[in-house]
Amino acid sequence: MKNFSFIIAAGGQGTRFGGKKQFMTLGGRELWRWSAENAAALDSVKEIILVIPQGDTLNPSWNIATPLLVVNGGSERALSVLNGLNAASCDYVMVHDAARPFATPELFRRLSEAVSGDAGVVPVLPVSDALKRIEDGEVSCVEREGLYITQTPQVFPRLKLIEAVKKFPSSKDEAEAWKKSGHVLRSVEGERMNFKATLKEDMTIARALTERKVTRTGLGWDIHRLVPDRKLILGGVKIESPLGLLGHSDADVLTHALMDAVLGGAGLPDIGNLFPASDERFKGADSLVLMREVMRLVEAEGWTVEFADAVITAQVPRLNKYRDEIIGRLSEFFPVNIKFKSAEELDDSGHGLCMTCRAVATLGKVIEW
Ligand code: MG
């Protein structure tokens, strides 16, 4: 049975990407770890060799039975790979880019079956885009028939590859050095998902594949008595009115319902628990200050409030002309819509005794797999 050292080339300085992406996390794991763990799933892979940048140190946690060796790379890719090859001990090597996190064990298996003592093997995919050549501003069309893109891992007998890389160190990949040395190179079908995260945009795609979004809806409701000699505050906006809302805080019925909707979506206790009426600190409190605290709590749990909608039920006063101002004030927190409803002179709000508010909020959270 063939045995393999799986070499992960993570020695790059990330100049095209703008940083060492191989150590960035994707779905809670560093980029290099994705392929390392998939390779370790194969019985024929006896060791993983991680080649890190020259001068760097890394002592990663690794609780998988297949041993992980960390070695430093060189000033160029070929030298980095050579350091990995020299540290390896198996008859065959798979040389993989850390920046290809989605290569599967199935691909590794296909490659391991195709390699032999005198033939290397690379994963390839046919070019699917139309190709152009541009020289001196002149665009010409290139026939794509028979053209393939090459992926990694590239798989070879180890000692012969060492010779080839030493002989042709300026090759773009190991396959090129191998071919220039006059050896046989075979191919197996690559994988579309085995793309290389070369640019920041590629990482955006990779994140989209490894992250999942949870959406929740929260419900809030509040009621306050309408009385003389109190200010009327809705959504932090002072409303001209002979009557105001009675309460321990500023009795902003709209902001209170919105806070409870937001807290509800996050699965947190309501404002009665967070800001009890028995607590003197909240006497006459500006409800927008309380909303800032609510937002701090839900954001600390990873939630984003995507939208909220509210209905205020009030017979008096007429509120419609304040709508834009209230929405503007509350947009400090999240996108919001406000509606006003008269109570048709029914129930206590319809008799001008109180105002009620109902609110719903949609919250989203990104969860890594
Ligand atoms: Mg209230």
Side-chain angles (χ1 to χ4, degrees):
M1 185 178 152
K2 289 174 247 179
N3 55 53
F4 296 85
S5 302
F6 192 89
I7 299 174
I8 302 173
Q13 300 294 331
T15 39
R16 263 185 299 179
F17 185 81
K20 293 174 187 173
K21 60 178 178 280
Q22 60 271 41
F23 304 111
M24 288 176 64
T25 60
L26 185 65
R29 287 186 285 168
E30 302 98 315
L31 211 52
W32 63 266
R33 209 176 272 274
W34 285 74
S35 48
E37 290 182 5
N38 274 352
L42 267 72
D43 288 341
S44 59
V45 171
K46 302 300 180 194
E47 59 187 7
I48 313 283
I49 295 168
L50 177 64
V51 185
I52 64 169
Q54 203 173 24
D56 277 17
T57 49
L58 186 73
N59 195 4
S61 64
W62 182 258
N63 50 19
I64 291 172
T66 310
L68 173 75
L69 270 76
V70 179
V71 300
N72 280 105
S75 54
E76 284 160 56
R77 184 193 155 90
L79 298 175
S80 292
V81 169
L82 208 48
N83 286 359
L85 290 169
N86 285 327
S89 61
C90 295
D91 297 339
Y92 293 90
V93 288
M94 298 189 179
V95 183
H96 189 56
D97 291 326
R100 295 182 188 271
F102 302 124
T104 65
E106 288 67 37
L107 176 62
F108 302 158
R109 220 164 269 135
R110 273 206 295 285
L111 290 157
S112 67
E113 282 163 14
V115 74
S116 70
D118 50 24
V121 55
V122 290
V124 298
L125 283 176
V127 172
S128 57
D129 295 322
L131 296 177
K132 301 287 175 282
R133 183 189 302 280
I134 303 178
E135 275 170 325
D136 303 325
E138 201 66 33
V139 181
S140 57
C141 297
V142 177
E143 183 53 60
R144 74 173 177 215
E145 188 68 27
L147 290 185
Y148 290 79
I149 57 160
T150 321
Q151 301 182 328
T152 72
Q154 303 189 351
V155 186
F156 308 92
R158 182 172 60 93
L159 295 178
K160 282 184 181 169
L161 182 64
I162 290 176
E163 274 173 41
V165 172
K166 275 184 180 163
K167 218 161 151 191
F168 300 100
S170 56
S171 304
K172 274 172 216 69
D173 62 3
E174 291 64 54
E176 188 181 328
W178 181 258
K179 277 298 283 187
K180 280 180 173 164
S181 302
H183 297 306
V184 176
L185 185 65
R186 296 194 182 116
S187 68
V188 299
E189 192 182 357
E191 295 175 328
R192 286 273 163 214
M193 292 287 281
N194 184 21
F195 64 87
K196 189 174 181 180
T198 305
L199 305 169
K200 281 220 163 26
E201 291 87 334
D202 303 324
M203 275 304 271
T204 304
I205 297 170
R207 289 207 191 289
L209 291 166
T210 55
E211 291 173 347
R212 172 168 76 96
K213 200 171 153 205
V214 176
T215 300
R216 283 209 212 145
T217 303
L219 173 67
W221 181 84
D222 199 22
I223 184 166
H224 283 270
R225 211 178 273 276
L226 259 183
V227 296
D229 302 323
R230 281 279 297 186
K231 282 185 202 157
L232 178 57
I233 312 276
L234 293 174
V237 173
K238 168 120 181 41
I239 312 287
E240 290 303 324
S241 166
L243 302 174
L245 294 173
L246 183 64
H248 183 64
S249 66
D250 63 3
D252 183 339
V253 70
L254 169 61
T255 304
H256 292 184
L258 285 169
M259 284 193 283
D260 270 354
V262 167
L263 289 164
L268 292 169
D270 69 359
I271 53 170
N273 278 279
L274 292 175
F275 315 115
S278 56
D279 192 328
E280 277 305 301
R281 280 179 304 157
F282 306 122
K283 189 167 190 314
D286 176 349
S287 293
L288 295 195
V289 172
L290 305 183
M291 178 64 100
R292 271 175 217 123
E293 174 62 9
V294 165
M295 293 304 288
R296 194 188 63 73
L297 289 170
V298 301
E299 282 167 3
E301 303 257 319
W303 294 102
T304 302
V305 181
E306 293 179 348
F307 188 70
D309 187 27
V311 187
I312 297 174
T313 307
Q315 196 65 38
V316 285
R318 289 300 186 202
L319 296 167
N320 223 23
K321 66 174 175 179
Y322 294 98
R323 183 170 177 271
D324 289 350
E325 194 182 348
I326 292 172
I327 288 174
R329 186 70 57 88
L330 291 171
S331 68
E332 170 191 341
F333 304 105
F334 38 76
V336 64
N337 184 47
I338 311 293
K339 287 133 32 238
F340 306 105
K341 205 89 188 147
S342 108
E344 297 285 335
E345 295 176 344
L346 295 166
D347 80 20
D348 288 343
S349 56
H351 297 133
L353 298 175
C354 63
M355 275 190 194
T356 59
C357 184
R358 293 159 175 85
V360 286
T362 305
L363 280 70
K365 186 194 246 186
V366 170
I367 292 178
E368 292 184 316
W369 294 106

